[in-house]
């Protein structure tokens, strides 16, 4: 069974066809043969009875007239019938009247009269036929047929049947070969196509459909499946291509970013050069101020009183402070690009020191400084010092016309956010200019009212933004101003 | 050439303040007895080549040193330097750039044009005075100029 399962489909089909056609043929042949044999026997018996009848009719008179010679002659005519082995006439009392034996079988012994009818004993068919009946019975005819002579014809018969069967088998084989192609052909072509698809991974190949039968449906299903795979593969290829395009696009964007960052770097360098130039142009008059005041000191110190010398000293110190501010500004511009080194800062001390340095430059400062304990903060010390310096200087500046100027510095920590403020009771500002407050070189007062360049708050904002914090202000004209800034932990 | 009338310093400086501080620093060391101050690049060229306001001046009479600012009205300091080096009569003249600019392109440009020295003006008056006095001392007393 396993060997049958591993046979190719065409072999299986041919085998199935052959079995399906030969088996009925063989059965039919067997049936025909059986029928034929049975018919032959019946015919032989019938012929034999006719023969016996004829002999009975033609020998009745010889028996009645006791003429065995004539009877013997009549029996001799049986020689024309080769299948008849022997014949015998019996008288009514059972005595042998005349005999016939084919050939010279002298040892043959005729049987005694039996019952009328035929019987088969081995190779012999014996028949007893009565001549007349009842009181009119004159004797019996005995005939023996040698069945072997009849059977001798059978091999011939079998040969004919066999050759017919073989011929039919050949026809069946040829037809099954032809028919098999109709069935196995499409299957084999489908199998071949699937093999090609599997080997070449070419999913655009389709199997050829040969009809609308189950194989046709199978072919269609196969084609649909391959189509599905092709579609999936194409989709995959497409998405691959898209991914590749995305990669290229990303690379391009990265290149662009690199270009932009180069441009930015160039811009930064330009800005730096610009700042440097500006700072040098700012220094030139400063150098003159310092230079001329020193010349005045050198040439006229002896002719001036103490107050004049104090004023000269203030001018000199202011010039140097401005030089310092320019340096700080320059340093700050550079810091904008550099890494910011941060430490934990004691903001209370920083605010106190800063107020001290502002007050130190203005020894006659009438301001009251109120400092609350401040939470420590994480940040760049130089930059945050600049923030306090600018805010406190501003507070001092804008409250100096007050009877009792008060500067208040405070702060608190809330949910990881430090908030600080510098408050004064000075001239304040109008709310409608609040958006201009932190712009560079933006001033809300004339130089006559309050000196200044308008850089201070811009610096404060940049520093605080750089620290990730926010800066804002509250104020009303003549009711003071409060500047807030936050620093994240 | 130790002519008492020889101009020892040609100061090319548009800022009267810087000019005064420079000449004062030189004077304190007695180095500015014969100092000529011109206020822009064109005046400098006129003086050097005896043209314009200075027609008739002999271009071959060299100062001991030219103190040249770079940021000048009319004709830029680097162009003045280029003209000095391009002319056979002034080619070997000692030129010291005295400027506020520390920009690399100015420094490189000056040296490429054959400047003898490049000094950045210090902001601090003391440092400025001593720098000017030292360069005056060097170029006017120590340096040996070609005949």
């Amino acid at each position: 069974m396993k060997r049958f399962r591993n046979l190719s489909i065409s072999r299986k089909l041919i085998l199935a066809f052959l079995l399906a056609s030969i088996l009925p043929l063989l059965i039919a042949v067997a049936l025909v043969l059986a029928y034929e044999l049975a018919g032959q026997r019946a015919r032989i018996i019938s012929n034999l009875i006719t023969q016996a009848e004829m002999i009975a009719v033609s020998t009745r008179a010889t028996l009645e007239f006791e003429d065995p010679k004539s009877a013997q002659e009549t029996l001799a005519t049986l020689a024309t019938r080769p299948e008849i082995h022997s014949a015998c006439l019996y008288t009514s009392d059972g005595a042998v009247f005349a005999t016939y034996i084919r050939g010279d079988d002298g040892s043959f012994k005729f049987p005694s009269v039996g019952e009328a009818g035929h019987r088969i004993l081995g190779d012999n068919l014996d028949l007893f036929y009565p001549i007349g009946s009842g009181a009119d019975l004159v004797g019996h005819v005995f005939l023996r047929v040698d069945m072997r002579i009849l059977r001798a014809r059978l091999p011939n018969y079998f040969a004919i049947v066999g050759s017919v069967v073989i011929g039919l088998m050949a026809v069946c084989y040829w037809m099954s070969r032809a028919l098999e192609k109709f069935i196995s052909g499409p299957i084999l072509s489908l199998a071949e196509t699937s093999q090609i698809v599997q080997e070449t991974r070419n999913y655009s190949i389709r199997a050829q459909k040969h009809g609308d039968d189950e194989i046709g449906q199978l072919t269609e299903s196969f084609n649909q499946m391959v189509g599905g795979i092709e579609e999936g593969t194409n989709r995959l290829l497409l998405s691959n291509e898209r991914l590749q395009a995305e990669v290229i696009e990303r690379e391009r964007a990265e290149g662009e970013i690199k270009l932009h960052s180069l441009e930015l770097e160039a811009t930064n360098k330009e800005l730096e050069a610009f700042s440097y130039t500006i700072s040098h142009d700012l220094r030139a008059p400063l150098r003159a101020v310092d230079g001329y005041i020193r010349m005045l000191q050198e040439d006229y110190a002896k002719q001036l009183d103490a107050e004049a010398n104090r004023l000269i000293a203030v001018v000199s110190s202011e010039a140097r402070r401005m030089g310092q501010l320019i340096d700080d500004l320059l340093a700050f511009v550079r810091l904008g690009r550099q890494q910011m080194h941060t430490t934990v800062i004691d903001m209370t001390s920083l605010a106190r020191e800063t107020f001290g340095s502002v007050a130190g430059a203005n020894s006659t400062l009438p301001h009251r400084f109120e400092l609350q304990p401040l939470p420590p903060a994480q940040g760049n010390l130089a930059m945050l010092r600049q923030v306090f310096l600018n805010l406190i200087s501003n507070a001092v500046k804008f409250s100096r016309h007050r009877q009792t100027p008060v500067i208040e510095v405070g702060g608190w920590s809330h949910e990881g956010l430090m908030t600080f403020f510098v408050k004064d009771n000075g001239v304040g500002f109008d709310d409608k200019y609040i958006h201009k407050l932190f712009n560079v070189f933006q001033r809300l007062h004339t130089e006559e009212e309050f000196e200044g360049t308008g850089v201070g708050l811009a610096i404060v904002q940049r520093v605080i933004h750089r620290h990730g914090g926010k800066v804002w202000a509250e104020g009303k004209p003549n009711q003071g101003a409060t500047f807030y800034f936050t620093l994240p932990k | 050439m130790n002519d008492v009338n020889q101009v020892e310093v040609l100061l090319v400086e548009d800022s009267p303040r810087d000019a005064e501080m420079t000449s004062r620093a030189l004077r304190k060391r007695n180095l500015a007895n014969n100092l000529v101050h011109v206020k822009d690049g064109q005046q400098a060229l006129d003086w050097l080549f005896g043209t314009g306001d200075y027609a008739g001046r002999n271009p071959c009479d060299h100062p001991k040193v030219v103190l040249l600012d770079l940021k000048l009205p009319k004709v830029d300091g680097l162009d003045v330097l280029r003209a000095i080096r391009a002319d056979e009569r002034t080619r070997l003249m000692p030129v010291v750039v005295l400027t506020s600019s520390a920009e690399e392109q100015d420094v490189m440009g000056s040296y490429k044009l054959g400047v003898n020295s490049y000094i950045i003006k210090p902001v601090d008056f003391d440092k400025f005075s001593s720098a000017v006095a030292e360069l005056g001392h060097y170029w006017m007393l120590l340096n040996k100029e070609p005949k």
Side-chain angles (χ1 to χ4, degrees), chain B residues 132-145:
Chain B
V132 171
E134 274 165 33
L135 77 89
H137 179 75
Y138 175 83
W139 285 106
M140 277 170 269
L141 298 179
L142 298 178
N143 188 49
K144 170 75 179 156
E145 57 185 315

Side-chain angles (χ1 to χ4, degrees), chain A residues 449-460:
Chain A
E449 287 175 305
F450 295 103
E451 72 290 345
T453 57
V455 182
L457 287 179
I459 289 175
V460 168

